[in-house]
Amino acid sequence: MQGIKCEGSGTRAQQGAILPLLAISMLAIMGMSALALDMSHAHLEKTRLQNSLDAAALSVAKVLDQTGNTAVAETAGRDTFAANVAEAGNAALGEAFTGGALTLTVEFSSTLNPFVPATIPARYVRVRASGFDVDNWFAPVFGFNQTDIPGSAVAGPSPTLGNVCNIAPMMVCGTPPASAPPGTTFGYSRNDVEMLKIGAGDNSSVGNGNFYLVRLGDNTGGADLREAAAGNYENCVSTGEAIETEPGNTVGPFAQGINTRVGVYNGPVSADDYPPDWFTDHDTYTETDYENGVAPSYDLDWYLSQMSGVDPALPPSGVPGRRILTIPVGHCDGLANGQSSVDLLGFACFYMITRMTQTGQAVFFGQFKDQCAGSGVPGPNPVTGPGPHIIQLYKDPDSRDS
């Protein structure tokens, strides 16, 4: 009997020992669950912050790329961030920003890695957020009242595009890179005034200094070409492909479309559909001026200086960068004027000095520039060098918060 009594007493003792352990375990589980909920909440707010920073950085980099004006670009980025944090669901983020707890810092650098603030020319942007503290729900029981959520986003130009969309529907004849003089873009030099002509209307060969109109896939006729030249051509072409060209008998509608970029509206095109550039000043410039080496009044340097001097509080009307064209460059040596299939060498950026004129033969004056904003996909092995690019996000080389 005594043995049986001892056994029962031991069982009750074990049960008594398990209850405190169970209580401690339940407390630990509840604490871990509470911390998990707080961590999940903090992660959600981090995502919201990062999305707003990414949008702001892309906005800054895009405007910087279009204008070269850091003040205008920063204003655009701050406006974008403010608009994003004001969206439904961003209550905590918006309150921190409008209340002054969250500080937004915008920095510019000429290089991506290393990112060195205040270096010129500015090409890359970093947008940083600090002071965003999220209130915890359960962690205060353990002494953690808030979670600090920093954030960073970096954006800038991609490598040169090999696949480009929304080009101007004209192809310039150029020199293959292997044969082109050093420091040139397919044989053209930056800042040199260039006179481009459409083929002479006969069967003579054409080469550098000439341009073709581009065939618009299934679309045909002057109306389609006019709209495409004004900015409504979204087809994509890739380096290494053949590009189809058209004879110059629709150059009139092409001129009507392309001239909208410098504020000239002739024919059925309107500023509502195709707004002009921010700066449309241009003078008459002739072949005689070109042959005599006369400097145009409103050249590329003038245009870039106008852009850099824009007051962020009073931006001009129109769309910046409209008179900078992304154009394909083909290898046309030995080809005759008319419809042809031309090997595409790549793409170039071309500044319109003045409106395109037609006095007998269509003539187009401009200057090639190193880089410009484009539309397309860089690809896994993007082409490097001068030409069009897109604006994209990058990992911040100095922070794991991006």
Side-chain angles (χ1 to χ4, degrees), residues 44-334:
L44 176 61
E45 293 296 343
K46 166 66 176 175
T47 301
R48 290 168 173 165
L49 173 63
Q50 192 62 54
N51 289 341
S52 297
L53 288 172
D54 289 347
L58 288 171
S59 178
V60 176
K62 180 178 179 180
V63 175
L64 176 67
D65 192 51
Q66 291 173 328
T67 68
N69 188 313
T70 56
V72 173
E74 180 172 346
T75 298
R78 290 184 179 277
D79 289 344
T80 298
F81 186 83
N84 273 268
V85 301
E87 292 290 332
N90 289 337
L93 185 58
E95 183 179 345
F97 181 62
T98 56
L102 187 155
T103 300
L104 200 66
T105 303
V106 180
E107 299 173 311
F108 298 93
S109 173
S110 61
T111 55
L112 176 62
N113 192 5
F115 191 101
V116 184
T119 53
I120 55 174
R123 297 192 66 211
Y124 299 91
V125 59
R126 173 192 285 144
V127 182
R128 279 179 169 167
S130 59
F132 183 35
D133 297 324
V134 177
D135 291 334
N136 293 324
W137 296 331
F138 303 102
V141 175
F142 303 95
F144 301 103
N145 295 323
Q146 292 181 321
T147 300
D148 176 44
I149 302 178
S152 173
V154 172
S158 71
T160 306
L161 301 174
N163 175 273
V164 181
C165 310
N166 199 24
I167 59 174
M170 60 178 289
M171 188 207 66
V172 177
C173 298
T175 303
S179 305
T184 66
T185 301
F186 304 111
Y188 298 101
S189 299
R190 184 191 186 280
N191 267 354
D192 286 354
V193 177
E194 302 289 350
M195 179 177 67
L196 304 179
K197 292 183 176 182
I198 199 78
D202 52 29
N203 290 324
S204 61
S205 297
V206 296
N208 279 35
N210 293 90
F211 72 91
Y212 284 106
L213 303 180
V214 172
R215 175 166 286 187
L216 305 175
D218 295 333
N219 297 326
T220 58
D224 290 332
L225 187 62
R226 182 188 301 110
E227 297 290 317
N232 192 31
Y233 183 43
E234 297 180 355
N235 291 30
C236 304
V237 291
S238 297
T239 300
E241 295 180 352
I243 190 167
E244 300 297 318
T245 66
E246 290 280 14
N249 55 4
T250 52
V251 72
F254 173 84
Q256 290 175 344
I258 210 75
N259 285 340
T260 63
R261 300 166 184 266
V262 290
V264 177
Y265 294 88
N266 294 321
V269 283
S270 71
D272 291 336
D273 295 328
Y274 303 105
D277 196 293
W278 271 3
F279 298 100
T280 60
D281 296 345
H282 62 279
D283 276 341
T284 300
Y285 193 79
T286 67
E287 188 169 349
T288 301
D289 294 330
Y290 173 77
E291 291 175 347
N292 291 335
V294 176
S297 301
Y298 303 101
D299 62 3
L300 178 59
D301 287 337
W302 167 84
Y303 178 78
L304 296 177
S305 68
Q306 294 297 113
M307 285 290 188
S308 65
V310 169
D311 183 349
L314 298 170
S317 59
V319 176
R322 282 268 288 153
R323 67 194 289 180
I324 305 292
L325 308 177
T326 299
I327 55 177
V329 181
H331 187 199
C332 0
D333 287 355

